[in-house]
Amino acid sequence: QNSARLLASFFGVSGWGRVLVPVNFRLAAAEVRYIVEHSGAEVLLVDPELTGLLDEVTAPHVFVLGRDDEEIFGGDAQPRPWAGDESATATLNYTSGTTANPKGVQLTHRNLWLNAATFGLHVTLSDNDVLLHTLPMFHANGWGMPYALTGLGGRHVVLRKVDGPEILRRVRDQGVTIMCAAPAVVSAALDAAAHWDGEIPGRDRVRIVVAGAPPPTRTIERVRSELGWEFIQIYGLTETSPLLTVNRMRSEWEQLEPHEQAARLGRAGTPALGVRVDIDHEGEVLVQSNTNLEGYWRAPEETARVQAGGWFHTGDGGTFTGGYLTISDRKKDVIISGGENVTSIEVEDALSAHPAVREAAVIGIPDEKWGELVTAQVVADGEVTAEELIEHCRGRLAGYKCPKRVDFLPELPRTATGKVQKYKLREPFWSTRDRQIN
């Protein structure tokens, strides 16, 4: 989990030329064991709340933080010196992935410092900034923000567990100016604000950098109006260190209505400094940058596949017009219904505009008539029927894009970084079929 010791490890391990492997603390023991063994890790540093994993996970050297501090930090021994090499591997970041086994993304020191410098420029970091760690540090090394802010001399406020009211309290008490977050964290802050007693802290001071999935336009509007925080959208992947594009309020949009401003901020954005974007004939987003991964650890064939032709193949579908990238969907998430392509994000945006919808995920399920049936999986805040939601979408979308079926769930399955795990939603409908298309 997020902690001062984990933050220090970005510098204490990498600064001596060793390879850091941050591990998602929510993983099951078997998944952690796979990462430890696949990476070849020799030293395992364990959070005191996770010692139960040691029944199934081990390494040549195991230390529990807090319990074994004297053994770790005591004495006069010093690490072997390291001359420094920006092309050397700095971190292995295992993807939260939708495949059986996660892939180890090999990032170099050059990848990481260039990502940090570029990120810092685009979000205008300075030594006056106070970063609240609302993003797991294990996820793409906190997007590189630990490196950027430390390099500029800013202040870190470590949040161990995401909690809406606690986020607002830290913003108030610690003078927080910036945070990075998945959409689920944004929702937690908005929910807390609805029950907050007094003025919302951080108004006209905080900027929140969001990635993971394009949030609905209504959510962006609420962040800007209800919280009074600046909304910055970025797009990237663990494999790209991660920053690829940035979308921040532009002076030429100031005369637009807030809704139109929010709609424009919902795009993935313009390429960050040093990034080139292209769309191939199948609609896949391709990128070239100084922060693309060195490779997948011990997976040369997969590395060659994603880097074919000198471009990194993101696996995301999108369009690139007027200098702005818009992510339409994961390629495999495009629903083909009645011969027409339906991007789930567009349908999710329409559903989320209904006041009774808290969250929505849209998938395609097998259907004899349509091939794939546009199906909405909805978490509702109030009383609403499937028929009402379908009718609501008809006023915003072409008929073939509207959900034909609506299921209500208590919550959506998510990864540790807030991404909806659509493969889990699809599984009950597709598990008995040979192919994942119909």
Side-chain angles (χ1 to χ4, degrees):
Q1 292 176 312
N2 282 356
S3 65
R5 287 190 176 98
L6 177 54
L7 176 62
S9 73
F10 288 116
F11 307 96
V13 175
S14 302
W16 289 91
R18 277 53 174 179
V19 179
L20 178 67
V21 188
V23 180
N24 179 348
F25 69 91
R26 295 189 179 95
L27 297 179
E31 296 170 301
V32 176
R33 184 173 64 248
Y34 173 83
I35 291 172
V36 172
E37 293 175 354
H38 185 265
S39 67
E42 296 178 346
V43 179
L44 189 61
L45 300 177
V46 185
D47 187 281
E49 290 188 15
L50 301 175
T51 53
L53 292 172
L54 295 178
D55 293 336
E56 300 183 48
V57 183
T58 190
H61 307 280
V62 178
F63 302 99
V64 176
L65 295 169
R67 188 191 72 186
D68 301 329
D69 283 5
E70 182 61 31
E71 191 174 353
I72 302 170
F73 304 111
D76 299 324
Q78 292 293 313
R80 291 189 306 274
W82 184 56
D85 178 4
E86 70 169 13
S87 64
T89 300
T91 63
L92 287 180
N93 301 85
Y94 280 78
T95 57
S96 56
T98 57
T99 55
N101 290 320
K103 297 186 289 289
V105 176
Q106 190 177 347
L107 299 176
T108 66
H109 289 265
R110 177 178 173 82
N111 290 151
L112 299 182
W113 80 255
L114 282 170
N115 175 79
T118 305
F119 207 155
L121 281 169
H122 279 291
V123 300
T124 54
L125 278 185
S126 79
D127 61 332
N128 293 316
D129 274 307
V130 179
L131 171 68
L132 179 62
H133 283 272
T134 45
L135 180 79
M137 294 180 195
F138 66 74
H139 180 52
N141 306 315
W143 296 352
M145 193 62 75
Y147 302 117
L149 191 74
T150 301
L152 291 169
R155 187 157 63 92
H156 298 267
V157 177
V158 177
L159 188 67
R160 189 166 172 85
K161 178 183 178 182
V162 170
D163 174 83
E166 184 60 25
I167 289 172
L168 297 185
R169 284 192 289 271
R170 299 286 183 103
V171 169
R172 179 194 63 197
D173 299 341
Q174 301 293 334
V176 171
T177 61
I178 188 165
M179 63 184 81
C180 298
V185 178
V186 177
S187 297
L190 286 169
D191 289 347
H195 303 96
W196 186 260
D197 186 18
E199 183 179 352
I200 302 299
R203 182 170 291 274
D204 299 324
R205 183 185 77 218
V206 169
R207 52 205 192 278
I208 184 166
V209 185
V210 179
T217 301
R218 184 169 72 98
T219 298
I220 299 173
E221 282 188 277
R222 292 182 62 202
V223 168
R224 303 176 77 218
S225 62
E226 296 176 22
L227 298 176
W229 297 352
E230 181 184 2
F231 181 93
I232 303 173
Q233 173 100 324
I234 68 166
Y235 164 70
L237 300 90
T238 300
E239 288 90 339
T240 59
S241 299
L243 187 68
L244 289 174
T245 67
V246 182
N247 194 354
R248 195 172 183 182
M249 179 65 186
R250 303 282 303 177
S251 58
E252 59 264 33
W253 302 345
E254 288 177 357
Q255 302 307 313
L256 300 176
E257 294 296 322
H259 178 80
E260 180 59 28
Q261 292 176 351
R264 296 191 180 210
L265 286 168
R267 298 175 293 184
T270 57
L273 291 166
V275 175
R276 297 176 66 192
V277 173
D278 196 12
I279 308 294
D280 72 6
H281 65 282
E282 294 182 346
E284 182 176 7
V285 179
L286 311 180
V287 295
Q288 290 179 332
S289 81
N290 290 297
T291 58
N292 284 359
L293 78 167
E294 180 72 13
Y296 289 119
W297 189 251
R298 297 179 176 174
E301 292 182 0
E302 182 65 9
T303 299
R305 184 189 69 79
V306 299
Q307 294 180 332
W311 293 81
F312 176 71
H313 296 245
T314 66
D316 289 327
T319 56
F320 188 53
T321 56
Y324 279 81
L325 176 66
T326 299
I327 300 299
S328 57
D329 233 320
R330 292 293 295 178
K331 285 175 63 180
K332 62 177 176 288
D333 284 348
V334 173
I335 302 164
I336 303 177
S337 183
E340 299 281 359
N341 284 6
V342 178
T343 62
S344 65
I345 290 173
E346 186 178 8
V347 186
E348 289 160 1
D349 202 23
L351 286 163
S352 296
H354 192 285
V357 174
R358 177 184 176 85
E359 295 181 304
V362 173
I363 61 172
I365 67 173
D367 184 79
E368 293 304 316
K369 178 180 179 181
W370 298 101
E372 294 179 26
L373 195 72
V374 180
T375 301
Q377 312 273 289
V378 171
V379 179
D381 262 344
E383 292 294 327
V384 65
T385 66
E387 292 73 20
E388 288 171 343
L389 290 180
I390 293 170
E391 187 61 33
H392 166 81
C393 289
R394 287 198 183 105
R396 290 164 170 77
L397 301 171
Y400 72 90
K401 296 181 180 180
C402 294
K404 304 294 190 297
R405 167 175 170 166
V406 177
D407 297 332
F408 293 96
L409 304 177
E411 62 182 6
L412 299 179
R414 292 183 179 275
T415 67
T417 54
K419 295 180 182 178
V420 175
Q421 295 173 305
K422 289 189 177 179
Y423 74 97
K424 288 188 176 180
L425 296 175
R426 292 191 197 93
E427 188 174 15
F429 304 101
W430 293 96
S431 59
T432 60
R433 293 181 172 253
D434 296 330
R435 299 194 308 159
Q436 298 301 296
I437 58 174
N438 190 43

